[in-house]
Amino acid sequence: MPQIGRINRRGLWTLYMKEVRRFFKVQTQTIWAPALTTLLFLVIFTVAFGRGEREILGVNFATFVAPGLIAMGMMNNAFANSSFGLLVGKIQGTIVDYLMPPLSEAEMMLAIVGAAMTRAILVGGAVALAMAFYPGVELAAPHPWAIVWFGLMGALLLSFAGLITSMWAEKFDHNAAVTNFIISPLTLLSGTFYTIQNLAPLFQAISRANPFFYVISGFRYGFLGQSDIGDASHVAWAALGLLAFNAALGYLTYRLLKSGWKIRS
């Protein structure tokens, strides 16, 4: 496979498209089903709290929770996609398909992470489209940059986390354990369904130590113009903080791939 310059662009694109086609062939399960599941959260919670009867941050509950659900759907599916490929390869004995092609570790990481982020964007778009027609939800966009930035940073964060999990896990139970005991709690306790101002100071501090909180709140800021993070300057610092966190996590992911940790015998 020819290389152009110092980057094997054709190889990177081929692996990326392989990963995209893998989830797109079963798009009913990988895109539309997660979108429907996320929409059901909105239906259940709005019915439970009453449509239009409760306001948070100056908007009704459905409008408040919708951006958080979109971001949550994006992050969960980014993790699901990137945590699948290498793990299946190890279980089925086809991991050589990832290791043998003339791709560097950085190129392999970019392809897998890029495909996971593509799925996250598609799921986010499907969820946003469904919620735009849901009664009581008003999706404005006073700060489009925050929607794009925090959406991509959240998807990138979970893509790296999923790839690390895929390297570490030896069976599907390990993957499920990370999802059930780490990813899901961090997601559900990130302020998706509530404002942390209602929490005791200790739990507010714990919430602010959760990187998912900044993804959800920053993404919500893009739609509502306000969030739990604070004013525009605090949101900007959160945006830079997520960039730094993702850079560190990306470097860790690269070093683990470079070392062949748990993927090369």
Side-chain angles (χ1 to χ4, degrees):
M1 189 174 293
Q3 293 194 22
I4 304 175
R6 304 184 67 179
I7 301 175
N8 186 349
R9 292 182 176 88
R10 185 180 297 179
L12 191 158
W13 177 254
T14 300
L15 180 56
Y16 166 77
M17 289 306 301
K18 171 186 176 295
E19 293 293 304
V20 169
R21 290 191 180 108
R22 176 171 58 79
F23 75 76
F24 208 74
K25 283 182 180 178
V26 287
Q27 58 179 290
T28 303
Q29 301 175 32
T30 57
I31 298 175
W32 301 110
L36 178 60
T37 301
T38 305
L39 184 61
L40 286 175
F41 275 108
L42 179 64
V43 174
I44 293 169
F45 278 91
T46 51
V47 170
F49 289 109
R51 289 180 183 170
E53 297 178 5
R54 181 179 181 183
E55 288 194 356
I56 303 177
L57 296 181
V59 297
N60 63 55
F61 180 76
T63 300
F64 168 81
V65 79
L69 287 174
I70 297 171
M72 184 179 76
M74 292 177 66
M75 291 192 295
N76 286 343
N77 283 276
F79 178 85
N81 204 79
S82 63
S83 65
F84 187 80
L86 294 182
L87 174 58
V88 170
K90 289 192 288 185
I91 293 174
Q92 296 181 346
T94 58
I95 189 70
V96 67
D97 293 342
Y98 289 92
L99 302 179
M100 284 300 292
L103 289 170
S104 68
E105 289 77 11
E107 291 161 352
M108 182 167 67
M109 181 180 75
L110 286 174
I112 295 173
V113 168
M117 293 184 68
T118 300
R119 176 174 167 182
I121 293 169
L122 291 174
V123 171
V127 176
L129 180 63
M131 289 186 177
F133 294 98
Y134 188 82
V137 175
E138 300 177 7
L139 292 179
H143 302 291
W145 73 267
I147 297 173
V148 174
W149 181 263
F150 286 97
L152 292 179
M153 287 294 103
L156 184 61
L157 170 62
L158 270 295
S159 296
F160 285 141
L163 185 51
I164 292 174
T165 300
S166 189
M167 286 186 277
W168 166 77
E170 298 291 342
K171 51 186 179 180
F172 289 118
D173 287 349
H174 293 161
N175 195 338
V178 173
T179 300
N180 294 331
F181 295 107
I182 299 178
I183 302 301
S184 292
L186 288 176
T187 303
L188 294 173
L189 298 176
S190 61
T192 302
F193 302 101
Y194 56 86
T195 172
I196 67 167
Q197 303 304 322
N198 296 330
L199 302 178
L202 174 61
F203 291 101
Q204 287 189 35
I206 293 174
S207 295
R208 293 185 183 278
N210 178 3
F212 292 18
F213 162 76
Y214 296 98
V215 175
I216 298 293
S217 294
F219 194 74
R220 180 176 285 133
Y221 175 81
F223 284 99
L224 305 183
Q226 52 185 326
S227 73
D228 280 337
I229 297 177
D231 58 21
S233 63
H234 289 90
V235 174
W237 279 111
L240 293 175
L242 278 174
L243 177 63
F245 188 83
N246 275 329
L249 190 60
Y251 180 74
L252 173 63
T253 306
Y254 169 75
R255 295 306 305 176
L256 291 175
L257 278 172
K258 187 77 173 177
S259 69
W261 179 62
K262 305 202 75 171
I263 59 175
R264 289 193 179 97
S265 57

